[in-house]
Amino acid sequence: ADIISTVEFNHSGELLATGDKGGRVVIFQQEQENKTQSHSRGEYNVYSTFQSHEPEFDYLKSLEIEEKINKIRWLPQKNAAQFLLSTNDKTIKLWKISERDKRPEGYNLKEEDGRYRDPTTVTTLRVPVFRPMDLMVEASPRRIFANAHTYHINSISINSDYETYLSADDLRINLWHLEITDRSFNIVDIKPANMEELTEVITAAEFHPNSCNTFVYSSSKGTIRLCDMRASALCDRHSKLFEEPEDPSNRSFFSEIISSISDVKFSHSGRYMMTRDYLSVKIWDLNMENRPVETYQVHEYLRSKLCSLYENDCIFDKFECCWNGSDSIVMTGSYNNFFRMFDRNSKRDVTLEASRENNKPRTVLKPRKVCASGKRKKDEISVDSLDFNKKILHTAWHPKENIIAVATTNNLYIFQDKMN
Amino acid sequence: EMEDKVISPEKVEEAKLKARYPHLGQKPGGSDFLRKRLQKGQKYFDSGDYNMAKAKMKNKQLPTAAPDKTEVTGDHIPTPQDLPQRKPSLVASKLAG
């Protein structure tokens, strides 16, 4: 129940939210920077914990609806309170997280414990005064967006208009207004008339960071479609189709499975988008549809293990990916609690490990190396000794600083770069 | 002239898989995965079955059958504990022919 299922920084990076398989959301807050301790940034401490979703039963299909939080997305902050959207397979909820650090005291008509005083004893008028109290962080559900998805929600994305958002399931994408819960508009529907003809599903979707009319969705066949909502109400016809041509002689039973895109993320600039498939990360220029501009191999050594990865279902693992604040570095997870970073400018990459046994706190992480075959050098790990149960599916990068959040199965790691 | 035939690691893996599961891939593979994906979630007989399963998870200490009554015969009414375990999934394994 404590398996982390999503990790997301808010727009300032001050807050970090995690969702888990048990339907809980835990929010961490960065400590205010200590002026004297300029050599390290504030640590993240628990700020709020709440139960976002509960398990439900779909009576019509006799299926359980898991409470697992699939995605969390923060709204930009407009006032003192913070807002986020959290979703499980079927229902999206808007949560308000607010602080209370003052309490009214000195009521004229009530005792401190709430009991009403005998009115005849009240002889003077007294106005309650707000006095400081221990900080209380309250989370309350403000909107519940339900009953709009027949299939399982894999993505939510808030539009740059900050008024609408999209939710995507395996076959459909819906557009919502944050204030309206009883209506949503269907903008993509790829369900075939005959389900026997089903050949692909939607795997992820995201709004463009700047153009409020543009969004993309990825498919299990390795394609990405960019849609413009100004073109038509139902965006079944894409404006752009991004697909890398495949060499037909290389095609195998596994080709389609490993080409399935598990995550798509726009760069902060909005010029590029990144996709993650089973073995690689690809960067696409929105102006070029026929191939990615950059491809980074995450764990190419797994190509010769596909048979066993298919048998143990690992080939269906859905890894996410993320950009750093300046879009110069991309990061994604792998197995054995390894995660990878690729520097787009220097073309250097590094493999690091998130584990308590192998890394002491406040020490620099040691780069790891996997030995694909042949003689294993000292400190290298051979492919066969990788632990495929230790997978890093969810990672997040602070929007401004070099602080990253990496989720192993049950633990959250927060790393920052060494400051001089 | 020599033709350098290098079999890609992917094709080697494919051959391995086909050797272990000869019936794989004869139906359109894509639809099978996709349909299994759309069907995700544990199926229960009805809401009563679901609530029983939830209760069982919360309260693991159920009264156990008396040690001598290990065989279910026609002589007595079986209790839920005596019956064989309900099969958890109605969706066939992707490896089944």
Side-chain angles (χ1 to χ4, degrees):
Chain A
D2 282 333
I3 295 172
I4 299 171
S5 50
T6 186
V7 182
E8 186 83 354
F9 279 100
N10 76 337
H11 291 254
S12 66
E14 187 206 349
L15 299 177
L16 175 65
T18 61
D20 69 22
K21 192 159 178 266
R24 269 178 307 269
V25 171
V26 180
I27 302 176
F28 299 86
Q29 183 188 42
Q30 191 179 27
E31 266 173 20
Q32 288 307 307
E33 259 180 59
N34 194 331
K35 297 283 188 271
T36 57
Q37 266 195 316
S38 59
H39 59 269
S40 88
R41 299 179 190 87
E43 280 189 1
Y44 282 82
N45 302 312
V46 177
Y47 176 68
S48 171
T49 304
F50 58 92
Q51 188 75 31
S52 171
H53 287 71
E54 297 276 4
E56 289 176 345
F57 189 67
D58 181 337
Y59 294 92
L60 289 181
K61 294 182 186 167
S62 288
L63 284 174
E64 177 175 30
I65 300 171
E66 277 191 319
E67 67 275 35
K68 173 166 74 88
I69 308 294
N70 293 334
K71 286 277 155 42
I72 289 173
R73 290 287 182 264
W74 289 92
L75 267 71
Q77 191 173 11
K78 282 194 286 194
N79 52 40
Q82 300 277 357
F83 289 85
L84 60 79
L85 285 177
S86 71
T87 187
N88 70 345
D89 282 338
K90 298 285 182 180
T91 304
I92 306 128
K93 296 188 184 181
L94 176 69
W95 287 90
K96 176 180 178 182
I97 296 111
S98 46
E99 290 185 0
R100 195 193 290 255
D101 62 356
K102 294 185 245 314
R103 166 177 57 211
E105 288 176 16
Y107 279 100
N108 200 34
L109 302 175
K110 283 198 251 184
E111 302 287 359
E112 284 313 315
D113 60 11
R115 282 176 306 145
Y116 279 96
R117 290 164 72 180
D118 180 356
T120 58
T121 63
V122 177
T123 53
T124 57
L125 188 67
R126 203 159 41 127
V127 177
V129 176
F130 275 87
R131 294 208 190 283
M133 62 179 255
D134 285 340
L135 180 68
M136 218 168 71
V137 182
E138 300 168 324
S140 60
R142 305 303 286 176
R143 305 271 187 278
I144 296 181
F145 305 91
N147 302 320
H149 285 279
T150 307
Y151 302 98
H152 299 108
I153 298 173
N154 52 58
S155 312
I156 46 175
S157 178
I158 299 171
N159 202 346
S160 51
D161 65 10
Y162 300 148
E163 284 187 347
T164 58
Y165 73 94
L166 63 76
S167 57
D169 68 29
D170 293 312
L171 297 177
R172 298 188 177 105
I173 302 179
N174 293 328
L175 180 71
W176 302 84
H177 191 285
L178 284 164
E179 300 287 330
I180 299 167
T181 57
D182 63 354
R183 242 176 309 159
S184 89
F185 289 100
N186 178 244
I187 52 177
V188 172
D189 188 339
I190 65 166
K191 182 170 190 242
N194 181 359
M195 283 300 269
E196 299 282 313
E197 290 163 9
L198 182 68
T199 54
E200 67 183 325
V201 295
I202 296 169
T203 53
E206 192 175 64
F207 264 120
H208 190 275
N210 307 317
S211 302
C212 58
N213 50 277
T214 305
F215 66 92
V216 293
Y217 68 93
S218 58
S219 86
S220 53
K221 274 185 155 175
T223 64
I224 309 100
R225 286 172 176 81
L226 184 142
C227 300
D228 186 333
M229 295 194 291
R230 297 169 300 186
S232 67
L234 190 59
C235 297
D236 273 0
R237 289 214 321 262
H238 54 262
S239 298
K240 293 195 185 193
L241 174 66
F242 297 84
E243 188 172 14
E244 185 166 23
E246 197 201 356
D247 181 359
S249 64
N250 274 341
R251 195 162 174 82
S252 76
F253 176 80
F254 303 110
S255 298
E256 190 175 307
I257 304 172
I258 62 171
S259 73
S260 175
I261 292 171
S262 49
D263 195 14
V264 65
K265 292 264 171 46
F266 277 105
S267 64
H268 294 90
S269 64
R271 164 105 189 257
Y272 299 97
M273 67 178 174
M274 164 168 54
T275 57
R276 175 68 155 98
D277 52 72
Y278 190 61
L279 297 178
S280 68
V281 160
K282 293 178 178 166
I283 312 276
W284 303 78
D285 184 325
L286 293 190
N287 299 315
M288 188 158 76
E289 296 168 62
N290 60 354
R291 60 179 169 80
V293 289
E294 294 156 39
T295 301
Y296 300 103
Q297 301 302 336
V298 181
H299 36 218
E300 179 67 16
Y301 46 79
L302 295 185
R303 202 180 286 270
S304 49
K305 301 286 169 196
L306 292 177
C307 181
S308 21
L309 292 169
Y310 178 85
E311 287 174 308
N312 62 19
D313 271 355
C314 284
I315 205 175
F316 300 105
D317 285 338
K318 297 183 180 59
F319 291 95
E320 291 171 12
C321 53
C322 61
W323 299 83
N324 73 340
S326 58
D327 297 336
S328 59
I329 305 178
V330 296
M331 173 168 69
T332 190
S334 178
Y335 295 104
N336 210 67
N337 283 343
F338 287 169
F339 59 100
R340 303 263 286 137
M341 286 190 206
F342 303 92
D343 187 322
R344 299 176 61 211
N345 299 324
S346 70
K347 300 301 177 196
R348 287 205 317 245
D349 63 84
V350 70
T351 305
L352 299 170
E353 182 178 0
S355 101
R356 265 186 297 224
E357 294 87 44
N358 296 329
N359 301 297
K360 293 200 185 67
R362 307 208 179 281
T363 59
V364 174
L365 290 176
K366 205 175 90 166
R368 304 284 173 203
K369 194 144 161 54
V370 177
C371 166
S373 61
K375 268 196 145 78
R376 185 180 73 89
K377 296 198 190 92
K378 178 172 135 54
D379 281 354
E380 282 186 356
I381 296 126
S382 88
V383 186
D384 296 308
S385 41
L386 293 175
D387 188 342
F388 290 95
N389 290 318
K390 292 187 177 163
K391 35 193 115 181
I392 291 179
L393 303 174
H394 313 286
T395 59
W397 203 302
H398 190 289
K400 302 185 173 79
E401 314 261 358
N402 277 345
I403 301 174
I404 58 174
V406 173
T408 59
T409 307
N410 298 108
N411 295 306
L412 180 71
Y413 290 79
I414 298 177
F415 299 110
Q416 46 178 281
D417 68 355
K418 204 168 88 160
M419 288 174 83
N420 300 316
Chain B
E1 103 222 312
M2 288 263 285
E3 251 182 23
D4 215 358
K5 279 216 177 112
V6 179
I7 307 172
S8 78
E10 234 176 273
K11 293 250 166 92
V12 171
E13 292 297 295
E14 181 180 29
K16 248 192 249 175
L17 196 67
K18 292 230 157 104
R20 286 185 210 176
Y21 311 100
H23 298 294
L24 206 52
Q26 274 163 16
K27 308 177 249 185
S31 312
D32 261 3
F33 302 138
L34 298 180
R35 251 182 268 128
K36 184 178 168 198
R37 184 194 172 125
L38 296 182
Q39 185 67 28
K40 162 193 139 183
Q42 187 161 351
K43 211 160 169 83
Y44 293 86
F45 182 71
D46 61 12
S47 60
D49 187 19
Y50 170 72
N51 286 313
M52 285 291 291
K54 283 281 157 200
K56 208 173 248 185
M57 267 176 16
K58 280 194 186 144
N59 180 16
K60 301 224 163 133
Q61 298 144 329
L62 286 175
T64 50
D68 52 305
K69 286 214 171 135
T70 47
E71 262 195 43
V72 180
T73 67
D75 291 348
H76 73 275
I77 297 168
T79 57
Q81 289 78 260
D82 300 332
L83 292 172
Q85 273 285 316
R86 184 185 67 83
K87 285 203 175 68
S89 175
L90 295 179
V91 180
S93 161
K94 61 180 192 283
L95 298 170

